[in-house]
Amino acid sequence: MNRERKTPERRSRKARRTRDTLAQAAFELVLDRGLRDVTVEEIAERADVDRRTFSRYFTSKEAAVLDSVRGDGDRINDALRARPAGEPPLTAYRRAVMDWLADSGAEAWHRRPRIFELLVLAKEEPTLYAAFHHIRVDAQEDSLAIVADRLGVDPRQDIRPAVTVAAGAGALLAAQAAWVRGGCPEELPRLVEQAFDALAGELVTQPPAGPASHSTTEGNGTS
């Protein structure tokens, strides 16, 4: 009986190791040589498996390269589930993101070797960017369900969960874009805080600076 129970567990561990080995091979090859100069066959060879095994785990080399960041949405959502029930939804989302960034065990992007390079490359390669977008969308769908559950509402009938997730994910995306442009990997937590501060601060409470709107009587010659 013990042997029967252990066999599926052993297979599961072996499958996880194979997937991780393929993902790491794709990650290293693509960052070293560029997405267009790496083939699926080369990734499989680096991982010491055949092409069929690669296809069992990944649909494309883009999916394999990005496997290292796929779990980050799950980590943020786990932190979101753990936030106190009484927190306003957007506050809970913000603090979940900051919990993820602060958790040394989770190895957020600014702590993980070469993730900064990966996101720079994703900005430059359309197919890689598209694959990364799908990962974000999947994570946001889970976030939507979590926020709806916190509010005790049906997200098909109540727009607040969708607004919360769109705002929070948008702040994180804006911070990520600024991070990639800035070229300073250690700056990510500060930029995330800055992006969420913008949501809660002057963008909401103050009118935009700039020229006053034109009066309907402007230029009609009256005094």
Side-chain angles (χ1 to χ4, degrees):
M1 289 292 292
N2 287 340
R3 182 176 297 176
E4 289 176 3
R5 281 199 301 268
K6 287 180 181 178
T7 298
E9 293 174 4
R10 215 175 274 124
R11 288 175 181 163
S12 178
R13 288 195 300 270
K14 183 179 179 182
R16 183 70 253 181
R17 285 195 300 270
T18 300
R19 183 186 181 96
D20 289 346
T21 301
L22 281 164
Q24 187 63 28
F27 184 84
E28 292 172 355
L29 284 169
V30 167
L31 288 184
D32 287 343
R33 290 164 43 190
L35 183 68
R36 300 176 192 183
D37 292 330
V38 174
T39 65
V40 167
E41 287 76 15
E42 288 173 316
I43 295 169
E45 183 178 355
R46 170 72 70 91
D48 198 26
V49 299
D50 58 23
R51 168 65 189 260
R52 183 181 300 176
T53 300
F54 177 94
S55 299
R56 193 180 306 151
Y57 292 96
F58 297 109
T59 57
S60 66
K61 60 184 177 182
E62 288 86 353
V65 173
L66 291 168
D67 198 57
S68 59
V69 298
R70 180 173 290 279
D72 291 306
D74 294 335
R75 294 182 184 99
I76 292 170
N77 283 328
D78 286 343
L80 180 59
R81 287 187 189 93
R83 295 305 309 170
E87 281 183 343
L90 188 56
T91 299
Y93 192 100
R94 173 180 184 159
R95 290 178 178 167
V97 172
M98 298 313 300
D99 288 345
W100 165 65
L101 289 169
D103 184 354
S104 58
E107 288 191 317
W109 293 340
H110 60 300
R111 290 196 186 93
R112 206 176 310 160
R114 305 194 76 181
I115 292 296
F116 182 83
E117 294 177 54
L118 175 62
L119 297 183
V120 170
L121 184 64
K123 183 181 177 184
E124 298 169 351
E125 291 286 353
T127 57
L128 198 59
Y129 185 86
F132 187 43
H133 173 72
H134 283 300
I135 290 173
R136 288 200 306 264
V137 168
D138 288 344
Q140 288 168 31
E141 287 294 320
D142 289 341
S143 299
L144 181 64
I146 295 166
V147 172
D149 187 61
R150 289 175 62 89
L151 292 172
V153 301
D154 182 346
R156 295 168 298 181
Q157 304 295 329
D158 192 314
I159 201 171
R160 289 176 297 166
V163 171
T164 298
V165 174
L172 181 56
L173 180 59
Q176 175 203 316
W179 184 52
V180 169
R181 288 195 306 269
C184 297
E186 70 281 0
E187 286 285 279
L188 182 60
R190 183 187 67 80
L191 290 167
V192 171
E193 287 277 26
Q194 192 176 71
F196 277 99
D197 282 346
L199 273 182
E202 62 183 24
L203 291 181
V204 175
T205 60
Q206 295 181 13
S213 59
H214 293 290
S215 168
T216 54
T217 60
E218 184 177 349
N220 64 5
T222 61
S223 58

